[in-house]
Amino acid sequence: MPAILHALSIAGSMTWEITWALILGFALSAVVQAVVRRSTVAGLLGDDRPRTLALASALGAASSSCSYAAVALARSLFRKGADFTAAMAFEIASTNLVVELGVILAVLMGWQFTAAEFIGGPVMIVVLAVLFRLFLRDKLLREAREQAERGLAGSMEGHAAMDMSVRREGSFARRLFSAEGHTATAHVFVMEWAAIIKDLVIGLLIAGAIAAWVPDSFWRAFFFDGHPLAEKLWGPLIGPLVALASFVCSIGNVPLAVVLWKGGISFGGVVAFIFADLLILPILNIYRKYYGARMALFLPATFYAAAVVAGYAVEFGFGALGLIPHRADAKIPMSGVSWDYTTWLNIVFLLLAAALVHRFLRTGGPAMLRMMGGTPHAGRRTPTTDDGTGHGPH
C-alpha cells in the first residue's frame, strides 16, 4: 500500500504542476478552432507539394491534439479529396506541433524540448513525405482509398466529424468575441478535454508508477547512460518502441517522457518517443480498419523511420549548438500543493476553465458530448453554437 500511495502521490503532484499549462494550451487551441472552418481544409490539401505540406502542418497544429481524433480527421480529409501525404502531415502536426504540448514540455523539461518539438516535427513530416514519394505505390494507395471509403468507424469518429467553427463573417476578433464565438470556443475546449482525458490520466498514472517503482539503475543500463555515443545512437531507436508499448498517446506521454529523460534516455530519444504517439497499438489497429492491412504495415514502418530521423536531427543539431539541457533541470514533481506561482496560475486558469464549462453546459454541450463517441455523417456540421441568446448560429 505505501508503494501505491507513493506512486499516486507523484501522479497527483505531476497533475497539479501541469494543470494551468494544459488549460492555457487547450484554450488557445479552442480559440483557433473556433474560427477555422474544416469545410475549407480538404480543398487546400489536394497535392503533396512543399507549400501544401506546410499548410497541412499549420492547419494540423491548429486542430485537435488528441491522437485518436487526429487519425479520424485525417481519414475524413482523405475521403474528401485531400492528398494522402498531406493528410498524414496534418495528422502528425495535430499531435506533435500543438501549443499545449509545447507548453507542457517547457514547464516540466525546459524550453529546449519545446524548441525540439517545433523543429523536429517539420523534420519528421519532410522525411515522411520523402519516404512516401519513394515507396508508396499507386496500387497500395488505391487499396487504402477503397478501404477508407467504406467508412468503418474508429475511436473518436464522432469528434472528428464535428465542425464547431463560427459561421459569422468578419474579422478574426469580431468572430471570436461574438456570442457565437464564445460558445464555439467553450464547446471546442470541453470536447478536446473529453477526447484526451483518458490518455492523460493513464499517462500520469504510468509515469507515477514508473517514477516510484523502477530504480534509476535499470534506466541507466537500458539507455546506455555513461556511454555518450551509444546513448545518442540508441535513444531515438528505442524511444518510439517504448511509446508503442506504453499505450499512451498525445499529451499523456509527456509525464512519462520526463521519467525517461531523468532515467537516462538521450535528448533525441525523448523527442522520438514523443513523436511516436501515433504508433501505439490501438491506433495501429485503427489504421488497419481505415486503410487496410497492407497500409497498416506501411504507416508504422514509415512513421517509425521518420520519428527516428527527427530524433537524430535534434540530438546532433542541438548537441552541436550546446543546447541540450542538463537532466537535473527537469523535474518530476513530488512536493504536492504549495503556495507558489504554480498554485496562483492554477487558480486563475481553473476559473477560466470553469467559465468555459459553464458556457458549454448552458448551450447544448452535454448533448454534443454524447454524440462525440458516435459516428455522425462525414462532413456534417453539428448544431452546437447556440449563441446564448436563443437564436443559434448566424
Side-chain angles (χ1 to χ4, degrees), residues 226-350:
H227 304 276
L229 181 58
E231 173 190 324
K232 289 178 172 61
L233 295 176
W234 178 241
L237 291 173
I238 195 63
L241 299 181
V242 175
L244 186 150
S246 72
F247 279 74
V248 182
C249 64
S250 189
I251 307 297
N253 65 8
V254 176
L256 181 53
V258 182
V259 175
L260 297 178
W261 173 239
K262 294 288 285 185
I265 194 172
S266 69
F267 183 76
V270 172
V271 173
F273 167 80
I274 292 170
F275 286 171
D277 60 342
L278 294 167
L279 292 179
I280 64 171
L281 293 176
I283 287 181
L284 296 186
N285 186 50
I286 292 173
Y287 288 147
R288 180 187 60 81
K289 292 196 291 183
Y290 279 1
Y291 306 118
R294 292 181 63 208
M295 185 62 83
L297 295 175
F298 180 82
L299 285 178
T302 50
F303 274 43
Y304 173 79
V308 169
V309 172
Y312 282 138
V314 298
E315 176 70 56
F316 292 105
F318 279 58
L321 296 172
L323 294 178
I324 295 179
H326 296 292
R327 286 193 175 88
D329 295 334
K331 50 186 176 182
I332 300 175
M334 297 184 182
S335 59
V337 179
S338 59
W339 284 105
D340 54 16
Y341 78 95
T342 297
T343 299
W344 290 110
L345 287 171
N346 280 344
I347 291 172
V348 171
F349 283 97
L350 284 169

Side-chain angles (χ1 to χ4, degrees), residues 352-366:
L352 172 62
L356 291 171
V357 171
H358 179 259
R359 182 75 174 192
F360 174 83
L361 295 174
R362 286 184 57 239
T363 53

Side-chain angles (χ1 to χ4, degrees), residues 90 122 172 207 223 232 234 296 336 346 380:
F90 178 97
F172 180 96
F223 294 129
K232 289 178 172 61
W234 178 241
N346 280 344
R380 167 180 173 181

Side-chain angles (χ1 to χ4, degrees), residues 12 63 209 222 271:
S63 185
F222 186 68
V271 173

Side-chain angles (χ1 to χ4, degrees), residues 141-210:
L141 192 57
R142 285 195 302 271
E143 291 176 358
R145 185 173 292 280
E146 290 171 1
Q147 180 71 12
E149 292 297 341
R150 295 178 61 190
L152 297 182
S155 181
M156 301 308 298
E157 195 70 24
H159 181 44
M162 292 180 182
D163 182 358
M164 292 171 277
S165 59
V166 177
R167 290 302 205 197
R168 179 190 295 272
E169 298 299 329
S171 66
F172 180 96
R174 181 180 178 185
R175 295 167 67 193
L176 177 62
F177 291 108
S178 65
E180 187 185 357
H182 185 187
T183 299
T185 300
H187 281 234
V188 175
F189 178 82
V190 176
M191 290 295 186
E192 289 297 292
W193 271 100
I196 64 97
I197 191 65
K198 181 176 72 172
D199 279 302
L200 181 61
V201 170
I202 292 173
L204 287 164
L205 291 175
I206 290 175
I210 291 176

